[in-house]
Amino acid sequence: MMKLVFATTNAHKLHEVRVMLPDVDIVDLNSIGFTEEVEETGTSFEENAYIKAKAVFDFCGLPTMAEDSGLCCEGIGGDPGIYTARYGGLPVDHDRNMDKLLSALEGRSRKAFFRTVACFIINEEGEETSTFFDGEIHGEISQEKRGANGFGYDPIFIPEQHTTTFAEMLDEVKASMSHRGRAMLLFGGYIQRLKL
Ligand code: ITT
């Protein structure tokens, strides 16, 4: 079974990705003893995904994947985008984040999309390569929070062609259409071909 490190501090992402990639042995940061806090100083999802993957790859040398994700809302010029996790301030508080977004969108377009960019770094015959995988899901922001599944902004995101929020869906239903699910489908196909 292929082994790779998922460079994330988010236990929900870790759980989702383990379910999405059942044929991969996904090692977490605790298992490799990585305790540094990596600052996301990039100006794009791609840059931040690379910064996270590179820090961990440099530490352990094992094939490493990191992903940066966020919610982009049309009514507020694409915000919070790469600042999605810390939108309501630090420490990260999902309820405060959602309350701030619901207020900001009052009287504005509620169209939004989630995006994930995953970056995979591996050393192949002495050469370090990084490869990127994207996933998006479009939809809208609900008027109020609904549902208790998932994490983050799931209670206020309704994917297009649906009437329920991500937080009202079963995990596997969310995974079948989510930004992360789509990026991991591409990533899963790629690593299968590497035959590690
Ligand atoms: P790592 O950087 O350690 O992976 P993080 O939570 O800080 O963990 P990001 O910087 O990528 O991750 O921030 C993404 C934020 O976007 C996340 O904290 C959520 O608030 C939100 N988000 C991402 N995917 C989501 C999903 O599937 N459902 C709801 N909210 C999501």
Side-chain angles (χ1 to χ4, degrees):
M1 195 186 256
M2 182 191 174
K3 181 167 156 175
L4 70 85
V5 179
F6 182 18
T8 185
T9 57
N10 182 323
H12 298 279
K13 283 186 181 181
L14 181 66
H15 173 71
E16 286 193 1
V17 168
R18 281 195 167 132
V19 174
M20 288 164 183
L21 300 174
D23 300 330
V24 183
D25 178 8
I26 296 177
V27 175
D28 63 17
L29 292 179
N30 287 337
S31 315
I32 58 163
F34 185 91
T35 52
E36 251 173 73
E37 214 179 298
V38 181
E39 243 192 290
E40 297 183 25
T41 53
T43 55
S44 64
F45 290 112
E46 284 80 358
E47 267 186 72
N48 283 335
Y50 178 77
I51 288 168
K52 291 186 261 190
K54 176 74 172 155
V56 173
F57 176 81
D58 283 348
F59 175 82
C60 68
L62 295 168
T64 300
M65 186 274 288
E67 62 101 301
D68 200 52
S69 45
L71 185 58
C72 304
C73 299
E74 185 181 89
I76 50 173
D79 282 349
I82 61 166
Y83 302 107
T84 298
R86 37 194 156 140
Y87 183 54
L90 291 172
V92 172
D93 178 325
H94 293 313
D95 263 309
R96 193 165 60 198
N97 280 343
M98 286 189 282
D99 290 339
K100 180 171 175 185
L101 187 59
L102 289 173
S103 311
L105 291 180
E106 268 173 38
R108 298 174 189 263
S109 160
R110 306 194 79 83
K111 276 196 186 172
F113 65 90
F114 268 119
R115 179 153 187 242
T116 290
V117 177
C119 173
F120 179 58
I121 306 185
I122 189 169
N123 189 325
E124 284 177 304
E125 289 157 18
E127 203 178 319
E128 187 179 314
T129 60
S130 46
T131 316
F132 293 84
F133 306 87
D134 283 42
E136 279 186 13
I137 172 75
H138 289 250
E140 62 181 55
I141 302 300
S142 59
Q143 295 293 339
E144 71 290 303
K145 299 172 200 165
R146 296 198 322 247
N149 295 335
F151 71 101
Y153 294 75
D154 281 345
I156 60 169
F157 183 78
I158 304 171
E160 62 190 358
Q161 286 157 28
H162 290 264
T163 51
T164 51
T165 67
F166 266 168
E168 293 176 302
M169 292 180 177
L170 293 172
D171 292 355
E172 57 268 34
V173 178
K174 176 189 169 189
S176 71
M177 69 185 87
S178 77
H179 47 312
R180 185 165 299 102
R182 288 174 176 175
M184 289 303 110
L185 198 64
L186 297 174
F187 176 54
Y190 178 82
I191 52 178
Q192 212 167 18
R193 290 193 294 275
L194 286 182
K195 292 199 179 64
L196 291 169

